[in-house]
Amino acid sequence: MDYSACLDDAIRRLHDEGRYRTFIDIVRNRGKFPNATWRRPDGTERPVRVWCGNDYLGMGQHPDVLSAMHDAIDEAGAGSGGTRNISGTTLYHKCLEAELADLHGKEAALLFTSAYIANDATLSTLPRIFPGLIIYSDELNHASMIEGIRRNGGSKRVFRHNDLAHLRELLEADDRSAPKLIAIESLYSMDGDFGPIEGICDLAEEFDAITYVDEVHAVGMYGQRGSGVAQRDWQAHRVDIINGTLAKAFGVMGGYVAASARMCDALRSYAPGFIFTTSLAPAIAAGATASVRILKSDQPRRDRLQVQANVLKTRLKALGLPLIDHGSHIVPVIVGDPVHTKLLSDMLLEDHGIYVQPINYPTVPRGTERLRFTPSPVHGQDDMEHLIKAMDTLWSHCELNRSELSA
């Protein structure tokens, strides 16, 4: 077996399809986000503005968050020193879990090293807790949810995206007495559309199912205290398990689930992804706690995010660019070809100092390749003007026929 040849062939296929992913090495400038420094492969540097980050509210630069992390390092050192079961549970972890439970109006919360692990570990473990569990999953759910459902060894049903009628058909076809769970996202990050949480909860009540909502791209930014779309829509009390992240709007790192105390107790006792993983560093937990507390009352910051997103969408639409707009803060511009998407991304970076990563298959379906912009409250008016002028220039320069792309 020529293993090297297989590796070369696998990488070559990605290059041939225009899907090979290139890492852009940047250094975020503390206190000046979205400004960063791009370190080119040849060692030279140039300033860039980041337009594709998930630090949606700029909290990764908030002075109170940084101060909390520094204080925790001074008090507790660098790492946690173990798994949660073996010396890795500190007051910082317990404090953060209490803040998250309060944020979502739940009895408890359980920390994981990422929201991916939280989804994977929870969804792969639940069939062990509920024998015979059937999971009904939206077809556009995140890869972490899909992987967890695949690995759990139980039954699964996939319903068409946001299609409540199709979900009802699947529910009606199964044994009424079987345990069931319906898993969706509140905000789908590639198109920026919202999940029908109220309708999902209605079906869950009718068919005696557990509800599971991934709020990763919504926590901190939607709802009366930044709890997410479920709270915004007054449905949070009907959702049994909420998955969230600390790495996007909260600007730090980590993931979690919030649920009943009994549910969290069962998950911490059975989920390998929780039991056998070193816990978050105390400094990370401290920074996340500070961020959650701040955003619970910082409605103006959330309002500015929505204003920025609306302004950017309006300006891009005025240029005639093929834009998806579902009313969220996510701004996808459809290019429709992986090579052209990468070319646009490269030219924005090299010629204009604008960093926006191309999004290609398998993250999105073939033919819907895109640039996904994520405006934030800390992008200034000059940043916006610079981006609009660059997109207007490059869209024509790359000879991308707008009418064909819109078709």
Side-chain angles (χ1 to χ4, degrees):
M1 179 66 183
D2 190 342
Y3 294 103
S4 294
C6 288
L7 292 171
D8 290 340
D9 183 59
I11 297 299
R12 185 169 51 252
R13 288 198 303 271
L14 294 176
H15 280 288
D16 291 344
E17 296 174 22
R19 295 196 295 117
Y20 183 76
R21 302 185 184 208
T22 302
F23 289 160
I24 306 299
D25 298 335
I26 64 169
V27 177
R28 287 155 56 101
N29 303 145
R30 182 172 65 86
K32 299 179 180 179
F33 184 77
N35 294 314
T37 300
W38 170 37
R39 189 162 297 157
R40 293 185 176 101
D42 63 5
T44 60
E45 297 181 348
R46 73 159 294 174
V48 297
R49 295 180 176 99
V50 179
W51 275 96
C52 61
N54 286 335
D55 186 358
Y56 290 132
L57 296 174
M59 293 300 292
Q61 304 292 314
H62 197 289
D64 291 349
V65 173
L66 302 184
S67 177
M69 297 183 75
H70 283 296
D71 289 346
I73 290 175
D74 290 340
E75 181 176 10
S80 68
T83 66
R84 289 293 297 273
N85 293 321
I86 305 176
S87 81
T89 294
T90 71
L91 292 177
Y92 295 101
H93 298 88
K94 299 299 290 184
C95 184
L96 177 53
E97 287 176 337
E99 285 290 342
L100 293 168
D102 174 75
L103 176 69
H104 293 289
K106 301 300 181 186
E107 293 178 340
L110 197 63
L111 284 173
F112 293 82
T113 50
S114 73
Y116 187 107
I117 298 300
N119 269 334
D120 185 12
T122 301
L123 291 169
S124 63
T125 299
L126 287 173
R128 298 175 60 189
I129 300 171
F130 305 107
L133 181 69
I134 304 171
I135 296 184
Y136 302 81
S137 174
D138 188 290
E139 66 177 344
L140 294 189
N141 277 342
H142 190 264
S144 58
M145 301 173 75
I146 294 171
E147 186 63 23
I149 294 168
R150 281 176 178 167
R151 293 197 311 105
N152 66 28
S155 299
K156 68 176 183 294
R157 313 282 186 263
V158 178
F159 59 93
R160 292 186 291 271
H161 180 53
N162 282 353
D163 191 333
L164 295 177
H166 187 215
L167 174 57
R168 172 179 286 279
E169 291 176 11
L170 296 175
L171 288 163
E172 289 176 338
D174 284 319
D175 184 351
R176 277 268 181 174
S177 64
K180 301 174 178 66
L181 180 144
I182 305 172
I184 67 166
E185 295 185 47
S186 68
L187 175 55
Y188 291 85
S189 63
M190 288 300 109
D191 286 351
D193 58 327
F194 296 98
I197 297 177
E198 183 175 5
I200 292 292
C201 291
D202 290 343
L203 286 173
E205 289 182 3
E206 182 179 346
F207 290 91
D208 191 25
I210 296 171
T211 48
Y212 186 105
V213 177
D214 178 311
E215 289 262 31
V216 162
H217 289 275
V219 288
M221 296 169 285
Y222 296 84
Q224 292 69 41
R225 296 195 304 159
S227 301
V229 177
Q231 185 195 50
R232 182 200 70 176
D233 295 348
W234 303 100
Q235 302 298 312
H237 63 288
R238 304 176 72 191
V239 178
D240 295 296
I241 305 173
I242 291 176
N243 170 278
T245 185
L246 304 167
K248 292 183 170 59
F250 295 123
V252 192
M253 178 185 175
Y256 63 90
V257 293
S260 68
R262 190 173 296 164
M263 180 71 76
C264 289
D265 193 21
L267 288 170
R268 78 170 186 88
S269 301
Y270 282 92
F274 177 85
I275 296 170
F276 299 106
T277 299
T278 299
S279 64
L280 290 172
I284 291 175
T289 301
S291 185
V292 172
R293 285 175 177 168
I294 292 166
L295 287 182
K296 283 179 179 178
S297 59
D298 196 349
Q299 187 60 42
R301 187 179 293 258
R302 285 190 282 278
D303 292 340
R304 288 197 299 274
L305 170 67
Q306 298 302 327
V307 169
Q308 289 284 75
N310 289 334
V311 169
L312 179 57
K313 286 184 282 190
T314 299
R315 298 291 301 275
L316 291 173
K317 287 177 183 177
L319 297 179
L321 272 60
L323 175 71
I324 298 176
D325 183 4
H326 289 289
S328 72
H329 65 283
I330 293 169
V331 186
V333 175
I334 303 300
V335 181
D337 175 86
V339 175
H340 284 160
T341 307
K342 181 66 165 60
L343 179 61
L344 266 175
S345 173
D346 289 346
M347 295 182 73
L348 282 167
L349 187 65
E350 280 283 359
D351 300 342
H352 299 274
I354 292 171
Y355 175 34
V356 54
Q357 194 74 359
I359 307 293
N360 295 323
Y361 177 85
T363 306
V364 295
R366 296 181 192 276
T368 69
E369 292 82 5
R370 66 198 63 186
L371 298 175
R372 192 191 70 145
F373 297 95
T374 53
S376 76
V378 294
H379 282 96
Q381 184 176 347
D382 290 345
D383 297 325
M384 188 80 70
E385 291 296 332
H386 185 63
L387 173 62
I388 294 301
K389 290 178 181 177
M391 285 296 290
D392 190 23
T393 299
L394 293 181
W395 200 263
S396 301
H397 181 81
C398 292
E399 297 179 346
L400 298 173
N401 187 291
R402 298 177 185 178
S403 62
E404 289 181 2
L405 288 170
S406 300

